[in-house]
Amino acid sequence: MLKLKDLDATYGEGMVLRKVNLEALKGRVTCLVGRNGAGKTTTMRAIMGLIKTPSGDIELDGKSIIKEPTYTRAKSGIGYVPQGREIFPQLTVEENLLLGLEAVDGKGKIPDSIFETFPILKEFLKRKGGDLSGGQQQQLAIARAVIANPKVLILDEPTEGIQPSIIQEIGRVITRLKSDMAVLIVEQYLEFVLEIADYCYVIENGRIIMNGEPDKLDQEKLQATMSL
């Protein structure tokens, strides 16, 4: 379980997250939604130790990790797919996947389960990552993040720039993965969120303003918040 407790985060002198409380549990897809600039990506970067968090706490399975550097958080069991995917375009699909094993000191090999979940990657193992379509690159990025079997998978805008048919496939993949790990998604595509999420947090101006199961949220307030 990943837990944020009264978390503040800053960029320079400016406070961008204020007293954020959030939980991501194994067996559940948790979505953090909000309009552009609300603090979604900042929350993900704070979890990974990429920005300053002067107060509050971040816990992974009950252990505080807020003072740990980014690489230690990854080795502790957090898989992260940032906005824009950030695969290595000049490396092959296979080489990109093997880099995911660095979270476990490069030990092991690509498990068959990766190709069962992402069959297209087996076909393209020797192809350069930069030659894949946007949807294929997103699948590669997710596969690279889960190859070391993390406790928590964090996805920042996984539907960005991807055609609808591939969005549906990514939704199916995420639903399968949640049985093995907690899944936390930042997303603006509300229809996708309402379809895939087991629990939602809504953020505005760096604060959580609403949370609950998707069908129990105030839909009018949710729509209004997302359209601001």
Side-chain angles (χ1 to χ4, degrees):
M1 177 179 74
L2 179 71
K3 189 172 186 178
L4 310 188
K5 300 168 68 174
D6 290 331
L7 189 69
D8 292 341
T10 60
Y11 277 127
E13 298 299 317
M15 186 75 71
V16 287
L17 294 183
R18 299 170 177 83
K19 305 298 180 187
V20 170
N21 290 281
L22 180 152
E23 290 184 350
L25 308 178
K26 181 180 178 180
R28 189 168 85 176
V29 176
T30 303
C31 287
L32 178 65
V33 300
R35 61 184 176 83
N36 278 335
K40 304 185 305 297
T41 293
T42 299
T43 303
M44 303 299 101
R45 290 176 60 81
I47 292 169
M48 295 308 300
L50 297 170
I51 61 172
K52 292 181 180 179
T53 47
S55 62
D57 204 1
I58 303 170
E59 293 181 354
L60 182 62
D61 287 349
K63 178 184 176 182
S64 177
I65 60 170
I66 197 163
K67 294 182 180 180
E68 302 291 344
T70 298
Y71 68 87
T72 302
R73 299 185 194 200
K75 286 191 173 186
S76 295
I78 302 179
Y80 178 46
V81 180
Q83 191 174 13
R85 300 180 278 276
E86 295 187 7
I87 65 158
F88 293 91
Q90 295 305 313
L91 298 183
T92 66
V93 167
E94 183 176 24
E95 289 166 338
N96 269 278
L97 289 173
L98 289 172
L99 282 173
L101 291 172
E102 289 302 312
V104 287
D105 298 320
K107 297 175 182 176
K109 61 179 184 177
I110 303 171
D112 291 340
S113 59
I114 288 292
F115 301 124
E116 291 168 6
T117 305
F118 306 94
I120 194 69
L121 298 183
K122 188 169 187 178
E123 180 182 343
F124 293 154
L125 266 182
K126 301 304 179 183
R127 186 174 296 188
K128 287 186 176 180
D131 293 336
L132 303 182
S133 69
Q136 291 162 352
Q137 287 184 8
Q138 186 63 273
Q139 291 185 66
L140 174 57
I142 295 172
R144 186 180 62 187
V146 303
I147 196 169
N149 194 29
K151 299 172 183 176
V152 181
L153 173 64
I154 297 176
L155 304 173
D156 193 349
E157 303 279 6
T159 69
E160 184 179 46
I162 295 176
Q163 64 191 54
S165 61
I166 303 300
I167 289 175
Q168 291 180 349
E169 176 57 29
I170 288 172
R172 286 192 289 270
V173 165
I174 291 169
T175 299
R176 288 200 295 271
L177 290 173
K178 74 177 182 180
S179 62
D180 297 318
M181 62 195 70
V183 181
L184 175 60
I185 301 176
V186 157
E187 187 56 73
Q188 286 192 81
Y189 182 16
L190 193 54
E191 184 178 339
F192 177 75
V193 168
L194 295 176
E195 193 173 291
I196 196 173
D198 299 299
Y199 200 88
C200 283
Y201 291 86
V202 183
I203 191 168
E204 185 176 283
N205 297 323
R207 298 180 186 273
I208 301 296
I209 61 167
M210 188 167 37
N211 62 283
E213 296 173 12
D215 58 350
K216 294 180 181 177
L217 293 176
D218 183 329
Q219 297 299 311
E220 283 191 20
K221 184 178 178 181
L222 178 59
Q223 294 285 350
T225 298
M226 295 296 287
S227 62
L228 287 173

